[in-house]
Amino acid sequence: PPKASPPTPPLVIPRGTLVQTSTEATGRLRMVDLNQLMAAAVAADPALARGKVTLVNVGAADRDGDPIYRFVTARKTKVIFPGGIKVIGYECNQEAAQRLRLSRPFVDVVSMCVNSSNLVADMLRRNVPTLFPVLKIDIDSVDATILDAVLRHFKPLVVYAEITWEFPPPIDFALVEVGPPANFHPGSRGCFGMSLSMASRIFRRHDYRIAGAGALNVLAVGPALAPVVAAVPSDLWFWFQFVADGYFQTHYFAPAAWPKLEKPIQRAERAERRHTKGRLNASPARVFGENVSLYDRVHRAMGFDGFDSAKTYLPIRTMDRRMRTLAQTIAAGCSSQGGKYMLAVGDRCCAPQWVGDDPRCVCSLAAES
């Protein structure tokens, strides 16, 4: 008779470490240090530091305290990588690319509007190694498709990526690439980027784990560095605590002829204009309220457990009402460019209860150009 498979070990959830304790006492949590990560990687595999190493910066304009440039110019970095560092910087804006050439002469500036296909092709043409230290993506556009495409072909040790902070977990949102890059322009009403939950989904798909998130960005590490950050929480629910507050800060806005939406959006006050350039604040985060409520109650009952085939499941609460309003907000934000977007929760994507028959909502990050 066939032998029984050995039993799997019992489930063990690590007891809270210092970094996993409540953040309410201090409101502070030390970020993962990129130099420490790189030092640990080189200690484990000295071959990583032989010769000049390559970093890739997608959205390379010299602004906002770019982590790539902070890392390259740090004294510790020269000790870790004595052979030097080569930075390949992709920048769509030609004026920003020219300024970058003057301000950061160590950057090999590529003036190109990227999509998921031409970026990978150019990286291969430039002989970027499969394993390289750091990838950063921040293009205020189709960041999700770019991230997924690069991780399908390359395995950077560390990834920095910008997120759009208006979407709490478990909302998967991403602007999906459409048309040739020369004709593509990010939406002027906030329709760009990807949510923290979408970034997490992409990272998990490629065996990366989140090791930090704050304000506008998320940091993830590949399998080689996972043991180094084993004590750091990896779940997006924890890290959403540190993401910028989309209820008061947003790129989304409603023009004067804003379509009639459901009550959460109708209550958006004109007085709250922080970081909205004077426009009416219509952040997707307002769909969920200031304290992020995901559900609306439908029934006050126990419901049915599904084992009685004569009965149907009784919904006690629903996300569909808020998701429908969210879909309307996204559709209005994306309307200025005709772009396509992904909207999902778990394994429900572009549910008709949310988006109706809107063809702009898609369930694939595959490039269409």
Side-chain angles (χ1 to χ4, degrees), residues 206-290:
H206 297 284
D207 296 324
Y208 281 71
R209 79 184 298 278
I210 291 178
L216 321 180
N217 299 285
V218 60
L219 178 149
V221 301
L225 286 176
V228 180
V229 296
V232 178
S234 62
D235 69 276
L236 65 165
W237 299 93
F238 176 86
W239 287 112
F240 188 69
Q241 296 177 103
F242 306 96
V243 171
D245 189 350
Y247 192 86
F248 296 104
Q249 305 177 60
T250 184
H251 289 287
Y252 279 77
F253 79 99
W258 185 250
K260 184 177 180 181
L261 300 180
E262 297 185 23
K263 289 183 179 180
I265 302 302
Q266 292 175 352
R267 291 198 297 263
E269 301 88 354
R270 289 183 177 273
E272 293 176 340
R273 295 177 176 178
R274 185 181 178 192
H275 294 281
T276 57
K277 299 182 176 63
R279 297 161 175 164
L280 175 63
N281 189 332
S283 170
R286 290 192 170 245
V287 174
F288 305 100
E290 189 169 357

Side-chain angles (χ1 to χ4, degrees), residues 89-255:
Y90 295 90
E91 178 55 46
C92 182
N93 186 296
Q94 294 186 2
E95 294 182 0
Q98 183 57 34
R99 290 194 298 269
L100 180 61
R101 292 187 180 96
L102 299 175
S103 63
R104 305 286 186 180
F106 57 83
V107 179
D108 181 4
V109 180
V110 183
S111 183
M112 180 174 76
C113 297
V114 299
N115 63 22
S116 56
S117 56
N118 68 6
L119 173 61
V120 169
D122 192 77
M123 290 173 64
L124 292 171
R125 184 179 65 81
R126 294 173 183 275
N127 296 316
V128 174
T130 301
L131 184 68
F132 62 93
V134 184
L135 165 71
K136 192 216 82 179
I137 298 176
D138 177 1
I139 57 174
D140 290 352
S141 179
V142 290
D143 301 54
T145 59
I146 297 295
L147 176 63
D148 187 57
V150 173
L151 294 185
R152 293 204 312 267
H153 295 83
F154 299 91
K155 301 302 175 186
L157 293 172
V158 176
V159 179
Y160 276 99
E162 187 185 41
I163 54 175
T164 179
W165 55 92
E166 291 94 346
F167 301 88
I171 309 300
D172 290 328
F173 167 80
L175 181 65
V176 176
E177 188 169 14
V178 289
N183 296 335
F184 184 84
H185 302 283
S188 60
R189 296 180 181 173
C191 180
F192 59 81
M194 60 181 168
S195 65
L196 176 62
S197 184
M198 176 61 74
S200 177
R201 184 187 286 259
I202 295 172
F203 286 136
R204 293 196 311 271
R205 162 176 154 85
H206 297 284
D207 296 324
Y208 281 71
R209 79 184 298 278
I210 291 178
L216 321 180
N217 299 285
V218 60
L219 178 149
V221 301
L225 286 176
V228 180
V229 296
V232 178
S234 62
D235 69 276
L236 65 165
W237 299 93
F238 176 86
W239 287 112
F240 188 69
Q241 296 177 103
F242 306 96
V243 171
D245 189 350
Y247 192 86
F248 296 104
Q249 305 177 60
T250 184
H251 289 287
Y252 279 77
F253 79 99

